[in-house]
Amino acid sequence: MLKSTLFWFCALISTIHATLVTDVQGIAFQSPFAGKSVSNVTGVVTAKTSGGFYISGTSSSDVRASNGLFIFSETTTVLNKVAVGDMVSVTGTVSEFRSSSDPDDLTATEITSPTAANVVVLSTSNTVSPVKLGTDRIPPTQALSALDVGPDGWLSVPNNQSRVDTVNATLVPADYGLDFWASLEGQLVTVPSPLSVAFPNDFGEFWVVGDWPVTGLNSRGGLSITIGPDNIPDANPEAVIIGAPIDGTTNPVVSLGVTLSDITGVVQYQFGFYYILPLTAPKVLTTPTTTAPPTNITADITDICIVTFGDYNVDNFGPTATQLPTVASHIATHLLSPDIVFLQEIQDNDGATDDGVVSSNVTLSALVSAIAAVNGVTYDFVVIDPVNDADGGEPGGNIRQAYLYRSQKINLVSGSPAGTATEAIAVSSSSGVPKLNFNPGRIDPSNAAWEDSRKPLVAEWQTNGGATLFTVNLHLESKDGSSSTEGNSRPPVNSPVAKRTSQVDLVAEFVQSVLDIDSKANILVAGDCNEYLETRSVFASLTDIMSEMDELADVDPVERYTYVFDQNSEQLDHAFVSTALSNRQNAIQHIHVNNWMANIDERASDHDPSVGKVRLSFLLLSVLTTLTAICAQTYTISQNLSGSNFLSAFAYNESAIDYNNFGNVHFLSQSDAVADNLTYVDSNGHVIIKVDNTTDANGDSTFGRNSVYLESNEMMTIGSLLVFDAVHIPYGCSVWPSLFTQGQDWPDNGEMDLIENVNLATSNQYSLHAGSSSCVQSSSATSNQTGTTTSTNCTVVPSEDENTGCVVEDTQSDSFGAGFAENNGGVYAVLWDESGIAMWFFNRSSVPSDISSSQPDPTSWSTASAWYPASGCSPSSVFGPQTITLYIDICGAFAGDTTTFDETCSSVASNCTSLVQTASNYDNAYWEINYLRVFTTGTSNDAHAETVFSYKTLLAILVAASLELYMLL
């Protein structure tokens, strides 16, 4: 009896002094017991390594406190004492471990080196159910840490402004990735349906996401760095790295997009990241194809308007590089031999041998020969050899940028010598034309920003048609010295971001020096920037004066990647163009010949190449006194409506009641509208279309005022440009004018609203309406329009009475209403082609001269007021042939909406319908129209044709000019 009582008493004392695993872990990054002894910490052994074992204790309702814990011990007597499934009690000292060689790592909570006597096995053969990620716990998808403060979140500059262990914040696992994984530290978890988002590192460790919500997922299966919904760069915290299997098996070889069997393991912080250490290696289930499709951007050496270019960091490329035939094949068969190729990391003639050799002619000649052997295209090359060991990279390799070019199409502008490694390029004005002192040349090579770094290679080119193009080939400072994205420094160290920013600033200064002389200069800056565009502060000086081509071409943000590192598919390689090029036809694609390989060792480079095209802007003096825009898009008038032929081109939609919009109108037939003087041509030749403003209703509350609803007899098709010139648009409280186009079987085949607003509004609204659920205004549109987006969903849902559309409000206060009339009106235009739908408003003083001359060139116009790119809404599949429609409604669902009416008319009347009976309220409810013109591209039987100026066309112009010059002489 005494022994039993004593045993019970000792057990009670032991329980009283027990510490829970969740208490040890706490709810912050570091344990509240750090440096203290704890007794009888109890849990079931879930995994065992050569350096200790993991236990799972009683869980808590507070998900911030992990119930998993690592017990560090390398003592054989301790390790031999326990087995997976044992319930153990451990007494020892809590430690926050961090390797002295990794000062920027987070600390890992553990009990350190308990003696064998302090590890007691209480029972055996216990089981622990792992936490199923995606079901039991779901990782956040945007931010890593609350300490990543700044406009660019984890990419903000300055970085390294705070440290996780110093703040030791309470965890918020629902919002932040570091907090989420910290709240699972030491726990046994399962990753269901893992998807590999990267190649393995040198230790066979690889990143995955599981069957849980993710953002930034690209078509290959990687996680791209994108801008999140809060306008902050997405840090992809939902990915986790899989470490070496605990049982000694070997992880499989994986690549981007490989699917695997479920992974069960323990969460452990090590080597700068939160890992899952799998109990055993997973198996590969599926592997995607390694065949990357070639570009569909093709070079044509007879087209003097379009220049195609490639951009490729070829990764320490010497004359005997093993990747030489592969790189040559990529340029020939996947980039399709563009007119110019921007190359980075070209080594000298003996590669990485550090013997003072700097010339690279052998290296480049070897590549040129290899390309010619594949497809018969023979390139010339341009390069400036660097000072020995002065430009960074592999010691002795002397990497530098170079150009390949097809001399049948394009050549360096003559008249300036080639610069040397140490000579700075400068721009001067020659009769208003920018001229380089060196061609090629380097930007400010002695500037400290370029120390031990590649200097930009500048060249000026001229096509055989006479168009010029300035290019800048970049290879900016690498990210060596940066910290882990999951490290202690917040925001993470981005090294050396200040130097990279200075480099971009110097490039921007050079570009600006060219634009200061010729604001319409064709300039293309491309290369390996070693930085994400989402680090916006780095590129600010350049993006202020140039446009990034992925944004211009509206490449899906998740498909903008040329590099894969850690958990991220990322874009390090960029191309920027000047306004002259951004306003014209352009395209860019990233060709994943390297990062779609099945094995990291099979890649020819760690970068994927890109290929693009630009349409050059230039003028040629033709027949002496006329400047001919050689590369302008050609538009042909298909409908030219003004005066009396305007009204005859439309049918009058006669309806006693406005069934569509519930307006207080009677739409009249043509004969009645003419008889009531609602449609006519005035003495100035202007078309007048109006609401009856002579008849009072004499108290009739059901009165509907007479108006007009016109629908064009001819339809316009994709490839059309509609231009509408008016001096007055209907306005006034209760008035609702609209000029729009509409497909058959609305909302199928879509609707484009060019002019629409109501009451006393001062700015116009543009919108699209579609029957397709896949029609939205994509997020990238806002950077390529001057208007303000108020709604992005274009889809009409008749059953839910939803017809708002995707709306953009013009920012010009004279684009509608009284302000429009007071300024003698202006011009509206809508361009509908394969790239998207663009809409413009020009007030009278800013109407482009090419519109006035009926030779419109939208590529030369200012930024569109509203832009609906094809990536968000297909202009060819969502929109069918369109009928042009013009009307004036009264009240109804828009002007009569109580909230909308009160915004501008609450001081005029208590409600909309009370105004309808009084005729004088409609004195300004009329259209006064100069003309409406519809243009199509190319010939009338091919709306999508594009004029390509061949050498014969150019020759004809030159001959004409020469003949007139001869006659004058």
Side-chain angles (χ1 to χ4, degrees):
M1 183 67 181
L2 178 62
K3 288 183 179 180
S4 176
T5 302
L6 182 60
F7 178 82
W8 175 85
F9 178 76
C10 291
L12 177 62
I13 295 297
S14 176
T15 301
I16 292 172
H17 290 283
T19 306
L20 297 175
V21 170
T22 51
D23 293 338
V24 173
Q25 287 284 11
I27 60 172
F29 279 94
Q30 297 191 334
S31 171
F33 289 92
K36 299 178 182 178
S37 295
V38 291
S39 302
N40 302 313
V41 180
T42 303
V44 175
V45 177
T46 56
K48 180 179 170 183
T49 72
S50 60
F53 56 93
Y54 295 84
I55 62 173
S56 178
T58 303
S59 62
S60 165
S61 60
D62 190 340
V63 296
R64 296 174 296 181
S66 173
N67 65 313
L69 186 63
F70 182 59
I71 313 300
F72 173 77
S73 178
E74 295 177 322
T75 305
T76 303
T77 53
V78 172
L79 295 177
N80 288 343
K81 192 173 185 177
V82 301
V84 173
D86 288 351
M87 173 75 80
V88 299
S89 173
V90 179
T91 297
T93 301
V94 176
S95 172
E96 289 292 335
F97 173 75
R98 175 168 49 213
S99 171
S100 59
S101 61
D102 296 306
D104 199 61
D105 280 5
L106 300 181
T107 60
T109 303
E110 61 187 33
I111 293 179
T112 303
S113 303
T115 63
N118 284 335
V119 178
V120 178
V121 177
L122 303 178
S123 64
T124 61
S125 303
N126 298 284
T127 59
V128 172
S129 296
V131 173
K132 187 176 182 180
L133 300 177
T135 301
D136 301 325
R137 297 284 303 279
I138 300 175
T141 61
Q142 295 292 322
L144 281 165
S145 172
L147 301 180
D148 293 341
V149 177
D152 290 337
W154 66 289
L155 297 176
S156 291
V157 178
N159 47 57
N160 193 18
Q161 298 299 291
S162 59
R163 297 180 70 80
V164 173
D165 59 4
T166 301
V167 177
N168 193 30
T170 300
L171 302 180
V172 188
D175 293 342
Y176 303 109
L178 292 185
D179 305 47
F180 176 82
W181 297 110
S183 73
L184 291 169
E185 183 182 33
Q187 283 190 235
L188 188 69
V189 300
T190 292
V191 179
S193 304
L195 173 70
S196 170
V197 297
F199 293 103
N201 62 21
D202 291 342
F203 305 98
E205 303 163 345
F206 59 96
W207 289 83
V208 300
V209 293
D211 186 14
W212 55 73
V214 301
T215 55
L217 187 68
N218 57 50
S219 59
R220 182 65 172 187
L223 292 187
S224 298
I225 297 176
T226 57
I227 298 293
D230 55 358
N231 199 35
I232 299 294
D234 186 339
N236 294 328
E238 62 268 41
V240 65
I241 187 169
I242 306 301
I246 288 173
D247 66 355
T249 54
T250 302
N251 276 332
V253 174
V254 299
S255 58
L256 206 63
V258 166
T259 64
L260 303 117
S261 58
D262 290 358
I263 299 171
T264 297
V266 289
V267 177
Q268 174 68 49
Y269 189 90
Q270 59 182 21
F271 310 126
F273 298 101
Y274 282 102
Y275 278 67
I276 293 177
L277 305 180
L279 302 181
T280 191
K283 299 185 182 304
V284 170
L285 300 181
T286 64
T287 301
T289 179
T290 60
T291 302
T295 183
N296 59 13
I297 297 174
T298 56
D300 180 356
I301 62 171
T302 69
D303 185 348
I304 64 171
C305 298
I306 299 290
V307 171
T308 59
F309 68 94
D311 176 40
Y312 202 171
N313 181 321
V314 290
D315 193 18
N316 289 317
F317 189 94
T320 59
T322 57
Q323 73 264 38
L324 191 154
T326 306
V327 168
S329 177
H330 289 166
I331 293 172
T333 64
H334 281 77
L335 305 190
L336 303 184
S337 297
D339 300 322
I340 303 176
V341 183
F342 293 61
L343 296 173
Q344 300 90 41
E345 295 203 24
I346 295 295
Q347 290 190 336
D348 61 39
N349 289 338
D350 59 5
T353 303
D354 195 1
D355 57 1
V357 171
V358 294
S359 178
S360 58
N361 62 314
V362 174
T363 302
L364 288 164
S365 296
L367 177 58
V368 166
S369 297
I371 295 169
V374 176
N375 68 352
V377 173
T378 300
Y379 280 102
D380 291 284
F381 60 81
V382 170
V383 68
I384 294 178
D385 296 325
V387 173
N388 187 49
D389 291 338
D391 281 14
E394 189 175 17
N398 289 311
I399 58 173
R400 82 291 310 270
Q401 299 93 284
Y403 295 106
L404 305 182
Y405 66 98
R406 298 179 68 172
S407 57
Q408 305 97 319
K409 170 76 169 284
I410 196 164
N411 285 276
L412 290 175
V413 171
S414 61
S416 299
T420 66
T422 58
E423 291 175 317
I425 199 163
V427 187
S428 60
S429 176
S430 176
S431 301
V433 176
K435 182 176 177 58
L436 302 179
N437 61 336
F438 300 114
N439 192 23
R442 304 175 103 192
I443 294 177
D444 200 1
S446 62
N447 193 292
W450 304 115
E451 183 178 355
D452 201 34
S453 185
R454 281 71 53 193
K455 290 73 176 170
L457 180 64
V458 176
E460 183 185 9
W461 308 87
Q462 187 170 44
T463 69
N464 291 343
T468 58
L469 172 68
F470 292 90
T471 61
V472 184
N473 191 341
L474 302 180
H475 187 190
L476 303 184
E477 186 75 13
S478 76
K479 286 182 173 289
D480 286 352
S482 297
S483 68
S484 155
T485 57
E486 295 185 2
N488 201 9
S489 299
R490 311 309 309 175
V493 175
N494 182 0
S495 179
V497 69
K499 186 175 183 181
R500 229 170 3 257
T501 303
S502 296
Q503 293 178 345
V504 172
D505 290 347
L506 290 171
V507 173
E509 287 176 14
F510 169 78
V511 171
Q512 188 60 58
S513 70
V514 177
L515 295 175
D516 286 343
I517 298 169
D518 180 5
S519 62
K520 294 184 178 180
N522 300 311
I523 308 174
L524 170 61
V525 176
D528 176 8
C529 297
N530 274 312
E531 190 59 85
Y532 328 121
L533 199 65
E534 292 78 11
T535 312
R536 288 169 287 202
S537 62
V538 171
F539 292 103
S541 60
L542 193 58
T543 53
D544 279 349
I545 57 175
M546 305 190 80
S547 299
E548 205 272 342
M549 287 194 67
D550 280 78
E551 293 192 348
L552 277 178
D554 206 49
V555 175
D556 189 330
V558 300
E559 304 304 335
R560 301 176 190 178
Y561 66 95
T562 60
Y563 199 85
V564 177
F565 185 74
D566 288 341
Q567 72 268 47
N568 296 316
S569 295
E570 55 200 40
Q571 186 180 0
L572 299 181
D573 307 87
H574 304 280
F576 304 87
V577 292
S578 59
T579 301
L581 297 178
S582 67
N583 284 340
R584 307 178 72 82
Q585 181 186 16
N586 54 71
I588 193 165
Q589 297 170 355
H590 307 297
I591 312 301
H592 303 298
V593 287
N594 292 314
N595 287 308
W596 282 17
M597 298 304 294
N599 190 306
I600 193 170
D601 295 328
E602 296 173 356
R603 300 185 303 176
S605 172
D606 47 358
H607 291 252
D608 284 326
S610 304
V611 62
K613 69 176 179 180
V614 291
R615 187 179 184 87
L616 302 185
S617 169
F618 77 107
L619 299 173
L620 181 71
L621 185 63
S622 174
V623 290
L624 295 183
T625 56
T626 303
L627 284 173
T628 300
I630 295 298
C631 290
Q633 185 81 41
T634 300
Y635 288 91
T636 303
I637 292 182
S638 62
Q639 298 184 58
N640 187 7
L641 311 180
S642 62
S644 59
N645 81 334
F646 184 103
L647 295 173
S648 63
F650 287 85
Y652 288 64
N653 187 336
E654 179 183 358
S655 174
I657 301 174
D658 176 15
Y659 292 103
N660 291 329
N661 299 312
F662 313 107
N664 292 76
V665 292
H666 294 157
F667 291 129
L668 301 187
S669 66
Q670 180 175 7
S671 59
D672 288 341
V674 172
D676 286 359
N677 212 31
L678 299 191
T679 59
Y680 60 93
V681 178
D682 70 8
S683 58
N684 295 315
H686 296 168
V687 177
I688 305 298
I689 300 167
K690 58 184 289 190
V691 169
D692 171 20
N693 66 332
T694 61
T695 307
D696 287 324
N698 299 320
D700 182 1
S701 62
T702 64
F703 180 73
R705 189 160 291 280
N706 290 341
S707 185
V708 179
Y709 191 114
L710 301 181
E711 295 176 310
S712 64
N713 297 323
E714 292 187 30
M715 306 184 86
M716 70 179 209
T717 57
I718 191 167
S720 295
L721 169 67
L722 184 155
V723 178
F724 179 77
D725 186 317
V727 296
H728 192 282
I729 291 174
Y731 71 92
C733 291
S734 78
V735 179
W736 176 3
S738 186
L739 171 63
F740 62 98
T741 70
Q742 182 173 306
Q744 293 179 327
D745 303 320
W746 186 92
D748 295 339
N749 296 305
E751 173 186 332
M752 310 175 203
D753 296 351
L754 179 60
I755 302 176
E756 185 173 38
N757 215 329
V758 294
N759 302 323
L760 297 179
T762 59
S763 59
N764 184 50
Q765 288 187 353
Y766 312 88
S767 63
L768 298 185
H769 304 261
S772 169
S773 60
S774 62
C775 185
V776 298
Q777 187 192 40
S778 60
S779 58
S780 63
T782 56
S783 61
N784 294 299
Q785 66 180 29
T786 60
T788 301
T789 297
T790 61
S791 172
T792 59
N793 183 13
C794 311
T795 306
V796 174
V797 186
S799 61
E800 300 177 10
D801 197 26
E802 172 52 50
N803 186 26
T804 302
C806 40
V807 180
V808 176
E809 184 169 347
D810 203 304
T811 55
Q812 300 177 79
S813 61
D814 58 355
S815 59
F816 194 84
F820 182 89
E822 290 167 2
N823 287 285
N824 198 29
V827 171
Y828 279 95
V830 56
L831 176 61
W832 171 31
D833 64 19
E834 295 287 355
S835 66
I837 297 169
M839 302 183 187
W840 286 266
F841 167 67
F842 302 102
N843 60 29
R844 187 61 62 193
S845 62
S846 64
V847 176
S849 59
D850 54 52
I851 288 181
S852 302
S853 64
S854 295
Q855 296 178 332
D857 177 15
T859 62
S860 68
W861 297 351
S862 56
T863 303
S865 304
W867 169 232
Y868 301 95
S871 59
C873 188
S874 171
S876 56
S877 62
V878 174
F879 294 87
Q882 299 281 297
T883 298
I884 303 167
T885 305
L886 182 147
Y887 70 69
I888 311 171
D889 209 337
I890 295 174
C891 292
F894 190 4
D897 173 75
T898 301
T899 301
T900 304
F901 182 82
D902 288 346
E903 285 177 356
T904 58
C905 293
S906 60
S907 63
V908 176
S910 60
N911 61 76
C912 186
T913 55
S914 66
L915 297 170
V916 179
Q917 301 171 54
T918 304
S920 60
N921 290 330
Y922 300 94
D923 288 347
N924 284 306
Y926 66 92
W927 298 92
E928 184 175 352
I929 301 165
N930 281 325
Y931 62 79
L932 185 154
R933 293 171 183 156
V934 177
F935 300 83
T936 57
T937 56
T939 58
S940 59
N941 63 348
D942 183 5
H944 301 94
E946 177 182 286
T947 299
V948 175
F949 281 81
S950 67
Y951 294 138
K952 291 181 179 179
T953 306
L954 177 64
L955 182 60
I957 295 171
L958 291 174
V959 168
S962 299
L963 284 174
E964 183 156 342
L965 178 62
Y966 174 77
M967 292 173 67
L968 289 175
L969 293 175

